[in-house]
Amino acid sequence: MGKTRYAGDRSMSSRKMFSSKGAYQAYDRREITLMDFVGHSHSDVWGTKIYQLWGIGVMKNSGMRQPKERATHPVNSAVHRGPDGIWGSESLKIEHWEYTSARVVIDQALADDIGMDIPVLRRSSAKWETMKRDHPKDVKYIDNPELWIANRFFAGPDPREGKQGTWIVLARDGDTVVRIAIGPSRSSGGYSLATVYATRDDKEIRRWKRHMRIDGE
């Protein structure tokens, strides 16, 4: 009776009949029918059993395409690529000033130390272009900060006055030391990658270490 009575009359199919809002919406869009919720199994002893299907079972029964697994970032599996192709876009709002293709994902250990809820750093489009223009020799560091953050030998809060909330990350590339500054985005929440610089100058390296109160590596 159920198939005959309800299959052609969608108005009689109350939201209460469905296990979830998503299931009802799929039914309302005519992507699935009531019969797609019916499963069958057979036993030589007990005969045919009819039962209610859920989730993926309904999708398979209806022939609906199952959603693809979301891509996870190699640096931090907690970060997913959004439907728009941008890392973390479903949890970290996109700002008009940021270069979305250059978002930086950091490992969970550093994110926890900093106190970041979302381990993704925004990057300002204008600042990114300025850094590359003013420091052309540092482009390989500016364009790929994730590598140097992951291979850091030091990370800690900047102790200098007026730098509250800023963290400094230092990494080595042979004789070169890479200095990366991470700071809070006060207007929009979250954190941003502020600057990336690199130097081989021993005097400059000693100055950086003195500021960060690093006695040795």
Side-chain angles (χ1 to χ4, degrees):
M1 184 181 81
K3 181 175 182 180
T4 304
R5 183 177 178 186
Y6 290 107
D9 188 356
R10 305 180 76 83
S11 65
M12 298 186 68
S13 303
S14 167
R15 164 68 180 87
K16 295 178 181 179
M17 293 173 59
F18 295 86
S19 59
S20 69
K21 182 179 178 181
Y24 175 73
Q25 289 175 337
Y27 171 77
D28 196 48
R29 291 192 299 266
R30 299 181 182 272
E31 294 172 356
I32 56 178
T33 69
L34 293 179
M35 293 307 297
D36 292 324
F37 289 85
V38 180
H40 301 83
S41 64
H42 181 76
S43 165
D44 291 337
V45 177
W46 304 107
T48 300
K49 177 183 176 183
I50 298 175
Y51 58 94
Q52 182 178 356
L53 291 172
W54 304 85
I56 292 176
V58 175
M59 294 171 69
K60 287 181 177 178
N61 218 21
S62 66
M64 284 178 64
R65 187 171 146 190
Q66 296 183 40
K68 293 181 180 179
E69 186 175 344
R70 293 187 301 166
T72 57
H73 198 279
V75 170
N76 192 324
S77 60
V79 179
H80 298 273
R81 192 191 298 276
D84 50 12
I86 300 169
W87 291 111
S89 62
E90 293 178 298
S91 50
L92 186 64
K93 178 184 175 184
I94 296 172
E95 295 294 341
H96 68 278
W97 47 263
E98 71 167 304
Y99 181 29
T100 55
S101 298
R103 280 191 166 190
V104 178
V105 177
I106 66 174
D107 58 273
Q108 197 60 47
L110 180 58
D112 290 343
D113 287 343
I114 296 174
M116 295 173 60
D117 295 327
I118 304 168
V120 179
L121 304 172
R122 297 186 182 98
R123 297 192 74 173
S124 162
S125 297
K127 189 171 286 188
W128 182 69
E129 293 292 348
T130 298
M131 282 191 290
K132 293 208 296 183
R133 184 191 65 226
D134 294 348
H135 303 275
K137 293 181 179 180
D138 296 341
V139 166
K140 80 170 188 175
Y141 307 113
I142 296 168
D143 280 350
N144 193 19
E146 286 173 354
L147 173 64
W148 309 105
I149 291 174
N151 290 282
R152 62 191 177 273
F153 68 80
F154 173 85
D158 193 329
R160 293 175 293 172
E161 187 176 351
K163 298 293 183 179
Q164 290 82 0
T166 300
W167 273 61
I168 301 298
V169 176
L170 300 178
R172 279 201 177 278
D173 179 23
D175 294 333
T176 300
V177 170
V178 184
R179 180 184 185 275
I180 299 169
I182 298 170
S185 300
R186 304 192 188 281
S187 61
S188 54
Y191 282 76
S192 298
L193 190 146
T195 56
V196 181
Y197 295 124
T199 185
R200 289 191 178 92
D201 189 308
D202 287 338
K203 184 177 180 180
E204 183 75 355
I205 292 170
R206 286 196 299 271
R207 185 175 69 83
W208 286 354
K209 289 184 175 182
R210 186 170 64 253
H211 283 162
M212 299 309 299
R213 301 169 187 170
I214 302 173
D215 296 326
E217 297 181 29

